[in-house]
């Protein structure tokens, strides 16, 4: 041991504790956590400051990334070059930062996880928004400190005109703590900041009226708001992100899922590999092919489905098993006065406003001092100009400049600075115009000095300046929100977010379904040619037209006798000419099955209603059955058995009743039977039912069933060739069920077979909507259709062209808006062709 040295005994636990504390504090303060004021970690701040020192403004040429990295390493950041370059690369990636701070040129990686090119190949410069973070740095707005070798000064924080911590977020792992802060929309954050300035007592709920939630650079959807609310209130929370996916139908009538946005920080290539791996392992069924069609225009991942696959089921499986649904754990930890703190939304906004207030105050103080210095010099120049001859004589008489300066100070009571300025003044400043210019400059400076002093004396003026600068940031960088926010199950009823509007639901013969606003169909005069109501294939036509409302429940009954449940708002909405989506992808019906009947119910939760109402069903061969509505109030995803169907028969109609109505059944041959509902006893779901009507022959079949409660209603019938009429229910006498019935329309070659039997209760408020097999739609007022006897052929309702025939007809309620609709679309109504001749006597049972 050398002379003078000695060994000091230390407990190793204490030594390790102290060393670890020093290390951890260094990591926390100098590496891993952002500053609450500018939202930057030291390395980010040094990269931006280094680029600023290199003159890499947004309007200047790019410089090699290696040059920038060398500048930062050599002057400010004594760590590895990869740390600096990786930091700069991330600040240039539009999928990493909501508002990128670096403008990169070259290969800066991709959302697929590709590595950026080496720093010697890429170039970079600052973006305009980064310049706003650095603005006024030279005006003593922030403190500076010595760099690692005490040779240079670097800023401890940037002035930051924009709340960068909120708009770009941050992530980092320190020692014993971590931060994970999501990005937000600049417009929302700035508006919330202005609201806080106007009312510092505003609470989190008030701020959330402006800041709806995180806004990720990759878009996607946030599923649920509970995690957002928790994070904004406590600083910690969890949000679920889902990819944005649409379901399309390709040219082969197969569905496919198109993914255009993925969750934040999810690797696209890895996600596609994950999907393919799950398909190969048979854990994800229904997918035939996955292809990445992304290009410069945007992201597009195409998931082709097998023909029998349910697109919505496959999409839900993708969310469940792949990163297409991911979570973002929010942990708002940032440095406040050098100490890590967990911050809520108001805390972050408050600290930013406090920082901006300090910046504006220091900037104003600096500008005041500079203005006062300049005014002081100009005042001296004006004194010299007022005594120009004497000043010139004094200078000429002086042996040296120092003597001249001393003479000016003594003679005119000037300061050292003023005397020096006079001696440095060029001869051209002695002209009259130059004197006037100096006087104007002095006047302007005095006005600025008064303004600066007023700002420093009034906190409201300083807050006004902050708000004005924030408005400027919105004008320069404000954009639309990219990430949608939807409510998850259990947070809010979805129907509370959907207007309860009148809807027309259409189902085609080949099983395509959609809903359309009822107001999209304008009323026409009877006999018009109609307008195209839906886009269908040549071999397809609309078979069902359902008048309902958005919030209602629909029970679908298939020809095989199964029942399925759906809400109207779950049906895809489209225009009149849209084709819709296959109903097999909305409910899990068999491929060979078809929806044949339906009922709409306002609610399935009212037990009194469920126990006092029935569903009456009729089959093509004339069977009827009555079952309590309660038995159909909770169908399973795969459906429930509604009625047992005999071989060769199929379910045709299902109607909701109160148990005290009359049933009217009409057949293709133009006959109808009316009997009391109580003639049909209540049965279970699996029963086959009893005979409702006896058909005329093997060609005959039931075309419709009505439920009537009194004799005030009319029965409206429509034939294949476009003829129809109304007949009072009174003309259909009540008989026993099972009979052959009485004639309801005179069937002939001219009018064709009967295709629809409908009930009319309020002719002045109801319209008849007809769709042909070619997809032509006409809507007419029921009040314009003649009321005729049972044994007539009716009047022409629609002109048919090219061998077209009536496919379907339904009654819809006329809205107030539609009452003023323009009648007629292409042609004027025809004169009704009325034929009341009775060719065939009534045939009772």
């Amino acid at each position: 041991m050398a002379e003078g040295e000695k060994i000091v005994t230390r407990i190793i636990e204490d030594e390790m504790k102290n060393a670890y504390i020093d290390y951890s504090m260094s990591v926390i303060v100098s590496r891993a956590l952002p500053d609450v004021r500018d939202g930057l970690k030291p390395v980010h701040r040094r990269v931006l400051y280094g680029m600023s020192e290199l003159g890499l403004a947004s309007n200047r040429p790019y410089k090699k990334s290696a040059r920038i990295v060398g500048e930062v390493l050599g002057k400010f950041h004594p760590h590895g070059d990869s740390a600096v370059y990786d930091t700069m690369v991330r600040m240039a990636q539009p999928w990493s930062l909501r508002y990128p701070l670096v403008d990169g040129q070259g290969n800066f990686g991709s959302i697929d996880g590709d590595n950026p090119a080496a720093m010697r190949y890429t170039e970079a410069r600052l973006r305009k928004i980064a310049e706003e973070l650095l603005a006024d740095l030279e005006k003593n707005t922030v403190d500076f400190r010595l760099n690692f070798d005490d040779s240079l000064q670097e800023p401890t924080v940037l002035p930051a005109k924009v709340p960068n911590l909120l708009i770009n977020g941050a992530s980092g792992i320190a020692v014993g703590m971590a931060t994970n802060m999501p990005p937000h929309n600049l417009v929302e954050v700035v508006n919330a900041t202005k609201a806080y300035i106007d009312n510092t007592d505003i609470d989190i709920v008030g701020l959330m009226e402006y800041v709806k939630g995180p806004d990720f650079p990759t878009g996607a959807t946030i599923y649920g708001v509970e995690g957002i609310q928790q994070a904004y209130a406590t600083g910690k929370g969890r949000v679920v992100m889902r990819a944005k996916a649409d379901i399309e139908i390709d040219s082969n009538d197969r569905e496919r899922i198109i993914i255009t946005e993925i969750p934040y920080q999810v690797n696209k290539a890895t996600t596609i590999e994950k999907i393919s791996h799950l398909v190969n392992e048979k854990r994800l069924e229904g997918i035939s092919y996955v292809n990445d069609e992304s290009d410069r225009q945007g992201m597009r991942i195409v998931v082709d489905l097998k023909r029998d696959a349910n697109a919505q089921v496959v999409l839900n499986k993708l969310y469940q098993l792949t990163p297409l649904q991911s979570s973002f754990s929010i942990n708002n930890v940032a440095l406040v006065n050098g100490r890590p703190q967990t911050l809520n939304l108001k805390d972050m906004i408050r600290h930013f406003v406090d920082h901006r207030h300090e910046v504006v105050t220091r900037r104003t103080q600096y500008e005041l001092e500079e203005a006062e210095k300049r005014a002081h010099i100009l005042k001296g120049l004006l004194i010299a100009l007022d005594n120009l001859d004497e000043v010139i004589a004094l200078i000429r008489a002086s042996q040296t400049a120092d003597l001249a300066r001393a003479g000016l100070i003594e003679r005119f009571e000037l300061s050292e600075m003023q005397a020096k300025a006079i001696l440095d003044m060029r001869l051209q400043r002695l002209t009259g115009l130059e004197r006037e210019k100096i006087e104007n400059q002095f006047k302007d400076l005095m006005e600025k000095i008064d303004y600066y002093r007023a700002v420093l004396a009034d906190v409201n003026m300083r807050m006004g300046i902050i708000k004005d600068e924030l408005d400027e940031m919105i004008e320069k960088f404000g954009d639309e929100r990219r990430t949608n926010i939807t409510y998850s199950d259990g947070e809010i009823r979805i129907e509370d977010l959907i207007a309860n509007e009148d809807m027309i639901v259409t189902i085609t013969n080949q099983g395509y379904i959609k809903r359309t606003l009822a107001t999209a169909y304008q009323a026409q005069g009877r006999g018009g040619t109609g307008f195209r109501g839906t886009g269908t294939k040549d071999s397809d036509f609309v078979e069902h037209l359902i008048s309902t409302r958005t919030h209602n429940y629909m029970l679908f009954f298939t020809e095989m006798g199964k029942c399925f449940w759906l809400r109207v708002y779950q049906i895809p909405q489209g225009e009149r000419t849209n084709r819709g989506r296959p109903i097999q992808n909305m409910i899990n019906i068999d491929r060979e099955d078809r929806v044949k009947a339906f009922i709409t119910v306002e609610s399935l939760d009212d037990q009194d209603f469920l126990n006092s109402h029935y569903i009456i069903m009729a089959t093509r061969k004339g069977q009827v059955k009555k079952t309590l509505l309660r038995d159909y109030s909770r169908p399973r995803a795969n459906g429930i058995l509604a009625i047992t169907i005999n071989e060769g028969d199929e379910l045709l109609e299902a109607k909701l009743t109160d148990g005290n109505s009359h049933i009217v059944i009409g057949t293709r041959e133009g006959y109808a039977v009316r009997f009391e509902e109580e003639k049909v006893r209540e049965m279970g779901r699996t029963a086959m039912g009893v005979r409702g009507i006896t058909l005329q022959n093997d060609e005959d079949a039931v075309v419709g069933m009505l439920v009537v409660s009194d004799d005030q209603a009319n029965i409206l019938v429509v034939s294949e060739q476009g003829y129809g009429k109304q007949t009072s229910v009174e003309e259909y006498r009540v008989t026993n069920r099972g009979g052959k019935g009485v004639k309801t329309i005179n069937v002939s070659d001219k009018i064709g077979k009967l295709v629809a039997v409908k009930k009319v209760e309020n002719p002045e408020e109801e319209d008849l909507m007809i769709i042909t097999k070619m997809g032509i739609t006409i809507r007419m007022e029921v009040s314009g259709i003649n009321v005729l006897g049972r044994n007539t052929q009716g009047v022409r309702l629609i002109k048919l062209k090219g061998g077209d025939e009536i496919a379907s007809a339904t009654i819809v309620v006329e809205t107030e808006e539609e009452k003023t609709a323009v009648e007629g679309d292409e042609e004027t109504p025809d004169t009704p062709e009325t034929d009341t001749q009775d060719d065939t006597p009534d045939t009772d049972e």
Side-chain angles (χ1 to χ4, degrees):
M1 186 165 26
E3 184 179 354
E5 293 181 351
K6 64 178 181 178
I7 297 175
V8 179
T9 303
R10 295 287 303 273
I11 299 175
I12 191 170
E13 290 87 350
D14 295 339
E15 187 66 22
M16 292 183 65
K17 182 186 297 184
N18 292 335
Y20 192 76
I21 289 175
D22 292 341
Y23 162 73
S24 62
M25 288 306 299
S26 174
V27 172
I28 290 170
V29 175
S30 302
R31 289 176 62 181
L33 299 184
D35 193 293
V36 71
R37 297 168 291 179
D38 61 5
L40 299 173
K41 301 177 187 178
V43 63
H44 296 87
R45 191 178 302 115
R46 288 165 176 167
V47 168
L48 295 179
Y49 181 64
M51 294 178 71
S52 174
E53 289 292 286
L54 283 174
L56 296 179
S58 59
N59 57 353
R60 301 289 296 276
Y62 296 89
K63 266 192 171 61
K64 283 288 185 181
S65 299
R67 175 72 177 85
I68 298 170
V69 171
E71 176 81 4
V72 175
L73 281 181
K75 292 183 177 181
F76 309 115
H77 197 68
H79 298 282
D81 58 352
S82 61
V84 176
Y85 185 53
D86 290 346
T87 297
M88 190 183 75
V89 165
R90 187 176 183 276
M91 288 195 291
Q93 293 174 338
W95 61 89
S96 294
L97 264 65
R98 181 63 176 84
Y99 298 92
L101 303 176
V102 172
D103 182 9
Q105 182 170 265
N107 176 13
F108 276 78
S110 74
I111 198 170
D112 289 327
D114 298 323
N115 292 324
M119 68 180 76
R120 62 182 178 274
Y121 298 119
T122 60
E123 298 177 338
R125 64 184 178 186
L126 293 172
R127 287 186 179 266
K128 289 184 180 296
I129 194 169
E131 293 175 358
E132 301 298 343
L133 292 176
L134 294 156
D136 303 323
L137 193 60
E138 74 284 356
K139 295 183 179 180
N140 194 33
T141 51
V142 297
D143 293 333
F144 279 71
R145 66 185 171 204
L146 293 171
N147 67 342
F148 60 89
D149 62 358
D150 295 346
S151 62
L152 296 170
Q153 295 276 336
E154 63 173 322
T156 58
V157 67
L158 298 186
K161 280 189 179 180
V162 292
N164 183 62
L165 183 65
L166 277 166
I167 66 172
N168 273 328
S171 63
I173 300 175
V175 178
M177 63 187 68
T179 185
N180 201 34
M181 309 177 73
H184 291 81
N185 183 267
L186 184 144
V187 176
E188 293 181 358
V189 172
V190 166
N191 287 333
T193 304
K194 290 164 58 182
Y196 169 79
I197 293 173
D198 292 334
N199 176 22
T200 56
D201 293 328
I202 191 171
D203 57 10
I204 301 296
V205 176
L207 291 173
M208 286 189 65
E209 293 182 6
Y210 303 94
V211 183
K212 305 302 181 183
D215 189 24
F216 299 109
T218 55
T221 299
I222 293 176
Y223 184 65
V225 298
E226 184 177 344
I228 299 174
Q229 295 169 344
Q230 183 180 5
Y232 286 168
T234 67
K236 292 185 178 182
R238 177 178 172 271
V239 296
V240 176
M241 303 173 292
R242 280 186 171 181
K244 181 180 179 182
D246 296 310
I247 298 174
E248 295 181 358
I249 300 175
D250 62 16
S251 57
N252 296 321
D253 285 338
R254 292 190 182 185
E255 287 197 318
R256 56 183 183 175
I257 299 171
I258 309 298
I259 300 166
T260 54
E261 296 175 1
I262 60 176
Y264 184 49
Q265 296 177 337
V266 168
N267 186 304
K268 175 164 64 71
T270 302
T271 300
I272 295 174
E273 291 177 5
K274 176 71 171 178
I275 295 173
S276 301
H277 185 65
L278 291 171
V279 172
N280 293 334
E281 288 186 340
K282 307 296 184 184
R283 293 179 58 194
L284 192 55
E285 298 180 347
I287 295 177
S288 61
Y289 187 67
V290 181
N291 189 33
D292 185 3
E293 298 180 1
S294 305
D295 55 20
R296 292 182 179 180
Q297 305 303 317
M299 183 180 298
R300 181 179 171 89
I301 303 172
V302 180
V303 181
D304 291 322
L305 305 183
K306 296 179 180 177
R307 190 172 296 277
D308 58 347
N310 186 315
Q312 194 60 51
V313 171
V314 174
L315 181 57
N316 290 337
K317 281 289 186 181
L318 286 172
Y319 287 144
Q320 179 183 358
L321 300 175
T322 73
L324 292 179
Q325 175 171 307
S326 304
S327 62
F328 188 95
S329 297
I330 299 175
N331 189 22
N332 295 332
V333 177
L335 294 176
V336 180
N337 296 324
R339 299 174 62 88
Q341 291 185 17
T342 300
L343 308 168
N344 60 31
L345 178 61
K346 185 176 180 179
D347 291 335
M348 290 185 284
I349 291 176
R350 174 171 55 84
H351 287 302
F352 172 75
V353 172
D354 291 345
H355 173 58
R356 284 304 298 169
H357 180 257
E358 181 181 355
V359 167
V360 170
T361 302
R362 293 179 60 163
R363 183 183 66 193
T364 305
Q365 183 64 45
Y366 174 85
E367 290 173 337
L368 173 62
E369 293 173 358
E370 291 297 311
E372 288 177 339
K373 289 179 183 177
R374 181 60 182 163
H376 180 66
I377 291 173
L378 291 178
K379 188 176 181 181
L381 294 180
L382 288 174
I383 291 175
L385 291 173
D386 288 339
N387 302 273
L388 184 58
D389 294 337
E390 187 176 354
V391 168
I392 293 175
L394 189 152
I395 294 174
R396 292 183 63 185
S398 301
Q399 294 294 326
T400 63
D402 292 338
L403 292 175
R405 183 167 58 252
L408 288 173
I409 293 173
E410 180 180 355
R411 171 65 185 86
F412 299 106
E413 298 181 353
L414 302 177
S415 67
E416 186 82 19
M417 186 182 301
Q418 289 174 324
K420 184 176 184 303
I422 293 172
L423 291 174
D424 292 339
M425 185 170 58
R426 298 171 63 183
L427 291 177
Q428 70 178 30
R429 306 294 297 273
L430 303 179
T431 63
L433 289 177
E434 288 294 326
R435 175 186 175 85
E436 183 179 352
K437 186 184 295 185
I438 293 173
E439 289 176 345
N440 290 335
Q441 289 180 2
F442 183 75
K443 181 180 179 181
D444 291 342
L445 279 173
M446 294 309 297
E447 291 177 356
K448 289 182 179 180
I449 289 171
D450 291 341
Y451 169 73
Y452 295 146
R453 288 174 176 169
V455 169
L456 292 173
D458 189 350
V459 65
N460 291 327
M461 288 186 67
R462 297 195 292 275
M463 290 300 177
I465 293 172
I466 296 173
K467 290 173 62 177
D468 291 342
E469 291 178 348
L470 289 173
D471 286 333
E472 183 183 349
M473 296 303 100
I474 289 181
E475 292 178 7
K476 288 183 177 180
F477 311 110
D479 58 2
E480 296 293 329
R481 164 175 278 277
R482 298 181 188 175
T483 302
N484 297 322
I485 300 175
T486 62
Y487 292 91
S488 64
D489 297 337
E491 290 184 338
I492 190 170
R493 297 189 311 163
I494 190 171
E495 53 264 33
D496 293 338
L497 308 175
I498 301 173
N500 195 16
E501 301 173 298
D502 292 324
M503 289 285 171
I504 298 296
V505 175
T506 60
I507 304 175
T508 73
N509 179 263
Q510 294 189 2
Y512 286 85
I513 187 171
K514 70 172 182 181
R515 61 183 169 98
T516 307
L517 285 170
T519 52
Y521 297 88
Q522 293 183 340
Q524 277 188 293
R526 179 174 50 79
T529 58
F531 50 80
R532 183 157 298 278
T534 185
T536 60
K537 296 192 302 183
D538 293 340
S539 59
D540 197 9
F541 60 89
V542 173
E543 191 169 18
H544 298 289
L545 276 167
I546 308 158
S547 179
T548 183
R549 292 180 68 80
T550 314
H551 287 187
N552 288 1
Y553 294 77
M554 293 191 68
L555 293 179
F556 294 88
F557 297 85
T558 71
E559 64 181 18
M560 292 184 178
K562 296 193 73 173
C563 174
F564 296 87
W565 175 90
L566 200 63
R567 299 296 293 272
V568 173
Y569 59 73
Q570 293 176 306
I571 299 171
Q573 184 172 347
E575 301 298 328
R576 290 198 318 263
T577 56
N578 287 0
R579 185 179 179 185
R581 284 179 56 193
I583 197 169
Q584 283 89 348
N585 294 325
M586 303 300 298
I587 54 179
N588 296 328
I589 67 175
D590 296 333
R591 290 187 60 188
E592 60 273 13
D593 203 358
R594 295 190 304 166
V595 171
K596 298 296 293 183
F598 56 86
I599 66 169
T600 59
V601 181
E602 185 174 346
S603 173
L604 288 177
D605 298 323
D606 187 343
Q607 293 302 315
D608 292 337
F609 183 85
L610 295 176
N611 290 319
S612 61
H613 286 75
Y614 299 86
I615 294 178
I616 291 282
M617 286 170 278
T619 72
R620 183 75 67 182
K621 296 297 184 181
Q623 294 290 105
V624 294
K625 191 186 87 163
K626 180 172 73 173
T627 306
L628 265 177
L629 175 61
R630 179 193 60 201
D631 293 345
Y632 302 97
S633 62
R634 296 184 181 277
R636 295 185 293 271
N638 293 325
I640 59 175
L641 184 63
I643 182 175
T644 299
I645 301 295
N646 292 323
E647 185 177 355
D649 198 2
E650 64 182 43
L651 181 65
L652 179 72
E653 289 277 14
K655 301 290 185 183
L656 187 66
T657 74
D658 59 4
N660 301 310
S661 303
H662 287 183
I663 306 301
V664 177
I665 299 177
T667 71
R668 181 174 170 80
E669 293 294 336
Y671 289 85
V673 65
R674 177 184 178 189
F675 57 86
E676 295 172 342
E677 181 185 343
E678 62 185 19
K679 298 289 185 179
V680 183
R681 71 180 186 276
E682 180 186 334
M683 306 175 192
R685 285 193 296 106
T686 58
M688 292 185 294
V690 295
R691 180 171 297 279
I693 188 172
T694 299
L695 302 179
Q696 298 294 317
N697 51 53
D698 292 340
E699 300 290 329
D700 200 7
V702 175
V703 296
M705 177 186 71
L706 308 178
V707 176
V708 295
S709 56
D710 54 46
D711 290 337
Q712 302 303 314
N714 290 338
I715 292 180
L716 189 150
V717 293
V718 180
S719 72
E720 288 176 330
Q721 297 303 318
Y723 285 78
K725 64 176 180 176
Q726 297 186 73
T727 303
S728 174
V729 172
E730 294 180 344
E731 296 198 27
Y732 299 82
R733 67 178 180 273
V734 180
T735 63
N736 290 324
R737 65 169 178 81
K740 291 187 176 181
V742 297
K743 180 159 290 191
T744 184
I745 192 173
N746 236 355
V747 171
S748 66
D749 292 340
K750 177 181 179 181
I751 72 168
K753 302 291 186 180
L754 191 64
V755 295
V757 179
K758 300 297 176 183
K759 180 176 65 172
V760 176
E761 294 181 305
N762 300 296
E764 300 300 326
E765 299 180 2
E766 295 176 335
D767 288 349
L768 174 67
M769 188 178 292
I770 297 174
I771 287 189
T772 74
K773 291 183 179 179
M774 290 184 179
I776 301 300
T777 302
I778 186 170
R779 181 170 179 169
M780 65 190 70
E781 297 174 350
V782 170
S783 59
I785 302 175
N786 296 14
V787 179
L788 304 172
R790 288 189 294 103
N791 291 313
T792 60
Q793 70 177 13
V795 297
R796 183 190 297 274
L797 302 178
I798 182 174
K799 282 185 177 181
L800 299 174
K801 298 179 180 180
D804 199 6
E805 292 182 349
I806 303 299
S808 177
T810 192
I811 298 293
V812 296
V813 178
E814 185 179 18
T815 65
E816 290 297 325
E817 294 83 355
E818 293 166 333
K819 289 179 181 179
T820 60
V822 179
E823 295 190 357
D825 191 32
E826 296 182 6
E827 299 183 7
T828 57
D830 291 345
T831 302
E833 300 177 11
T834 306
D835 184 359
T836 58
Q837 179 181 356
D838 188 355
D839 295 330
T840 307
D842 288 355
T843 304
D844 293 343
E845 61 177 336

